[in-house]
Amino acid sequence: MHHVEIEDFYHHDFTTVSEWEVFIARLEEIMHEWKLSHTKVASPLKSGDFVNCEWHEASEKLNFADVEFLLKHYKLKKEGEEEDPTSLQEEREEEREEEWLQCQKDALDISNDFVRLDDNCMEIACYYGVREFLVLIPARKMSLMDETRIKILLSSLTIATNNANCYIPALVQVQEPWQKMYLGGCAGKGACVHFDMVHLKKVPSHCKYLTGLLALFKQKLGEGCGIRLDSIMVSVRFSYLLKDWTNSTWTQEPPDFDFMQGETLGVAELGKLPFGATFDPVGELNLFTTWPEMPDNVVVDSEGYSDLEPQLAPEWSVQVKMVALPACLLGEYMTDFLHLCNNQKTMVELLGENASYIHDDDQTHLSAAFNVLTESRIPTISTVVGRASAAKKNKSVDGPISEDMLLAILYFLFPDADDTSKFPYDITASNVEDDQWKGVKTCATDSLVWRLSVVAAHCTHNLGGVMALAQLWHEFVQEIRFRWEKTIFVPG
């Protein structure tokens, strides 16, 4: 009888790549695609960089153990950080001499302490003060509660960053997504930095004051190394939030709610536009009192006594948050008017055939296109302002603007047609350019174009939208053509 060795029958090929190795290789590949190897140490941060500068975000999907993950890369883009080829060799020599990692320098930099960033994963920058980091998060807002899975993911990130020579903090989002809890680390140049975090349901009583926090900090830092810390630099900030001030006065003067007489446009409002917000646009007011960089032996903050009196803080700052969509009257006017720039409809489509400047019975008498300027029999709005010839036949154009309102608008644009006009043009006003108008392309104040723009905004917002604006433009062009043909002065 032939005997078969068990080792030969149950042969395992240990050269086959496992799913875990594929996952690590994919992490390394993404890091190389993003060019994260051997990143140089950048210039020190300045105060406000985390808020004022742009954050670059890149993401890539990958799978491991039938779970989809997102690997995200966040980096603060500072102005003037583009690489200069001429100084590349000098930078490489400086990097060889540099013994600190970028995250170590950023963590000890106080220029962006207490900063607030509301975007996804931006709390990592707030917690640790780092300007660049990688974060691995489960897709579809899944929770990562199993300790074994967490350790495998942390090991995978650590191996991948070391193989790719990536000296950037790499973290994993753990626990429930709403907890915003991250674990990770950064290794390179002979140093290893751990980014650990603990999430507590309740704050321990001894950690509610600076004295207890300092004792905990010294205990954790001295464990296992026997280092005695003589002095520690401390920065403290108190925050005060005010959301409801309904019983207080407005932060700005409220608008005139009687403008346009509540519903319709009055003659007195033709020359001005509404301004202001219908409700207070300020949503939150934050007051910060800060004590930057104090030795711990000069300040006491315990349950029984505290030196941290807000009124004696050396630095005060205020942050104002506006509401998401404030109802601003002038903004609504301008938005409605600018939306018409994309309207492709013609005057005939909006107002009918009578809006055409050349009628069928007139075309038979025209021998050339230029004769339209000299021999046109187009009816004008002179019948409205008292300048039209009685022999001409006027074809009215139907529109949303009533005859009384249209008459008031035309008298406002052409006040010389009304002997008792209350809105004459001020020909003596000087058009000296003020400093506030330098660099702005605009017409003269209270000129014909100025008044036409204001009235056009009123027509668009209150008198019928695009059809009202088309009706106004038709009548305006009719009057201008009539004055051109009759050699009548155009005011304004």
Side-chain angles (χ1 to χ4, degrees), residues 148-430:
T148 303
R149 286 191 174 186
I150 295 174
K151 290 183 178 180
I152 292 176
L153 292 175
L154 287 173
S155 301
S156 303
L157 272 179
T158 304
I159 295 173
T161 52
N162 276 277
N163 292 343
N165 294 317
C166 177
Y167 305 147
I168 298 174
L171 302 99
V172 179
Q173 185 176 14
V174 299
Q175 304 298 328
E176 296 289 345
W178 63 268
Q179 292 178 293
K180 297 183 178 181
M181 184 174 176
Y182 304 89
L183 300 176
C186 179
K189 299 182 180 180
C192 183
V193 182
H194 295 280
F195 297 97
D196 295 335
M197 189 181 301
V198 176
H199 190 277
L200 302 176
K201 292 184 178 180
K202 294 183 179 180
V203 179
S205 57
H206 66 279
C207 292
K208 293 182 179 180
Y209 302 94
L210 181 59
T211 304
L213 292 174
L214 285 172
L216 179 63
F217 179 77
K218 293 179 181 180
Q219 176 188 352
K220 293 294 183 181
L221 199 61
E223 286 181 354
C225 59
I227 299 177
R228 181 178 179 180
L229 303 176
D230 295 331
S231 180
I232 298 174
M233 302 303 294
V234 179
S235 296
V236 182
R237 167 172 286 188
F238 290 167
S239 302
Y240 302 91
L241 175 62
L242 181 61
K243 284 187 176 181
D244 185 14
W245 48 70
T246 54
N247 297 326
S248 305
T249 58
W250 276 36
T251 55
Q252 68 176 29
E253 185 179 353
D256 183 10
F257 291 106
D258 295 330
F259 186 79
M260 298 185 302
Q261 301 175 1
E263 296 180 357
T264 60
L265 180 67
V267 178
E269 291 84 19
L270 282 175
K272 59 182 180 180
L273 294 174
F275 181 80
T278 56
F279 57 88
D280 198 338
V282 178
E284 292 182 6
L285 187 65
N286 293 273
L287 172 64
F288 305 111
T289 57
T290 309
W291 292 263
E293 284 195 300
M294 301 182 300
D296 66 319
N297 53 12
V298 301
V299 60
V300 176
D301 178 55
S302 61
E303 186 176 0
Y305 174 79
S306 177
D307 291 326
L308 302 176
E309 182 64 33
Q311 295 181 353
L312 303 178
E315 291 185 7
W316 283 42
S317 57
V318 176
Q319 182 184 38
V320 178
K321 287 188 177 181
M322 313 300 289
V323 296
L325 296 173
C328 299
L329 302 179
L330 183 60
E332 293 179 358
Y333 260 64
M334 296 296 100
T335 301
D336 292 345
F337 193 74
L338 290 175
H339 282 168
L340 297 180
C341 297
N342 299 324
N343 196 311
Q344 302 295 328
K345 292 185 178 180
T346 63
M347 297 285 290
V348 176
E349 292 175 343
L350 292 172
L351 301 177
E353 293 296 334
N354 288 339
S356 176
Y357 295 121
I358 303 178
H359 301 289
D360 295 336
D361 55 349
D362 296 329
Q363 291 180 352
T364 58
H365 303 287
L366 300 179
S367 58
F370 290 107
N371 292 340
V372 178
L373 298 176
T374 58
E375 300 179 7
S376 174
R377 298 179 182 178
I378 300 173
T380 68
I381 63 168
S382 315
T383 55
V384 180
V385 296
R387 296 294 182 88
S389 173
K392 286 191 176 182
K393 180 175 67 175
N394 181 31
K395 292 186 178 181
S396 61
V397 174
D398 294 331
I401 305 177
S402 63
E403 184 177 352
D404 294 339
M405 179 57 65
L406 183 61
L407 182 64
I409 293 175
L410 294 174
Y411 278 148
F412 177 71
L413 296 176
F414 303 99
D416 59 336
D418 184 11
D419 297 334
T420 61
S421 176
K422 298 180 180 179
F423 309 101
Y425 289 104
D426 188 4
I427 59 176
T428 61
S430 60

Side-chain angles (χ1 to χ4, degrees), residues 28-84:
E28 294 180 33
E29 182 182 358
I30 295 174
M31 294 177 189
H32 285 296
E33 290 176 357
W34 290 343
K35 299 179 181 180
L36 303 181
S37 302
H38 298 288
T39 54
K40 65 178 182 178
V41 178
S43 58
L45 294 169
K46 297 179 181 179
S47 179
D49 279 351
F50 276 16
V51 178
N52 300 327
C53 296
E54 180 184 359
W55 284 88
H56 172 74
E57 177 183 351
S59 62
E60 191 74 28
K61 292 182 180 180
L62 62 165
N63 294 276
F64 176 61
D66 298 329
V67 179
E68 186 179 18
F69 291 91
L70 281 176
L71 181 64
K72 292 189 175 183
H73 174 234
Y74 292 88
K75 183 178 181 180
L76 183 69
K77 302 292 289 186
K78 293 181 61 179
E79 296 181 359
E81 279 193 346
E82 289 76 11
E83 294 185 358
D84 186 5

Side-chain angles (χ1 to χ4, degrees), residues 6-169:
I6 298 179
E7 290 80 8
D8 295 336
F9 189 76
Y10 296 100
H11 178 70
H12 295 278
D13 186 4
F14 291 99
T15 62
T16 304
V17 180
S18 65
E19 185 181 6
W20 182 48
E21 292 173 314
V22 173
F23 178 63
I24 296 176
R26 179 56 182 153
L27 289 173
E28 294 180 33
E29 182 182 358
I30 295 174
M31 294 177 189
H32 285 296
E33 290 176 357
W34 290 343
K35 299 179 181 180
L36 303 181
S37 302
H38 298 288
T39 54
K40 65 178 182 178
V41 178
S43 58
L45 294 169
K46 297 179 181 179
S47 179
D49 279 351
F50 276 16
V51 178
N52 300 327
C53 296
E54 180 184 359
W55 284 88
H56 172 74
E57 177 183 351
S59 62
E60 191 74 28
K61 292 182 180 180
L62 62 165
N63 294 276
F64 176 61
D66 298 329
V67 179
E68 186 179 18
F69 291 91
L70 281 176
L71 181 64
K72 292 189 175 183
H73 174 234
Y74 292 88
K75 183 178 181 180
L76 183 69
K77 302 292 289 186
K78 293 181 61 179
E79 296 181 359
E81 279 193 346
E82 289 76 11
E83 294 185 358
D84 186 5
T86 58
S87 61
L88 188 59
Q89 185 66 26
E90 297 178 359
E91 291 177 355
R92 289 179 178 175
E93 294 178 358
E94 292 177 359
E95 288 178 13
R96 295 192 188 103
E97 299 176 358
E98 182 63 54
E99 297 179 355
W100 283 49
L101 298 173
Q102 181 70 73
C103 64
Q104 291 176 300
K105 288 193 168 186
D106 292 343
L108 297 177
D109 194 338
I110 68 166
S111 58
N112 287 276
D113 285 351
F114 310 113
V115 71
R116 291 188 176 185
L117 300 172
D118 298 328
D119 295 338
N120 294 332
C121 302
M122 283 291 98
E123 52 270 1
I124 296 177
C126 302
Y127 294 155
Y128 303 111
V130 292
R131 73 181 75 188
E132 185 178 9
F133 57 90
L134 292 165
V135 57
L136 184 67
I137 61 176
R140 302 173 186 174
K141 297 183 179 180
M142 295 177 56
S143 59
L144 194 60
M145 309 292 291
D146 186 74
E147 186 175 354
T148 303
R149 286 191 174 186
I150 295 174
K151 290 183 178 180
I152 292 176
L153 292 175
L154 287 173
S155 301
S156 303
L157 272 179
T158 304
I159 295 173
T161 52
N162 276 277
N163 292 343
N165 294 317
C166 177
Y167 305 147
I168 298 174

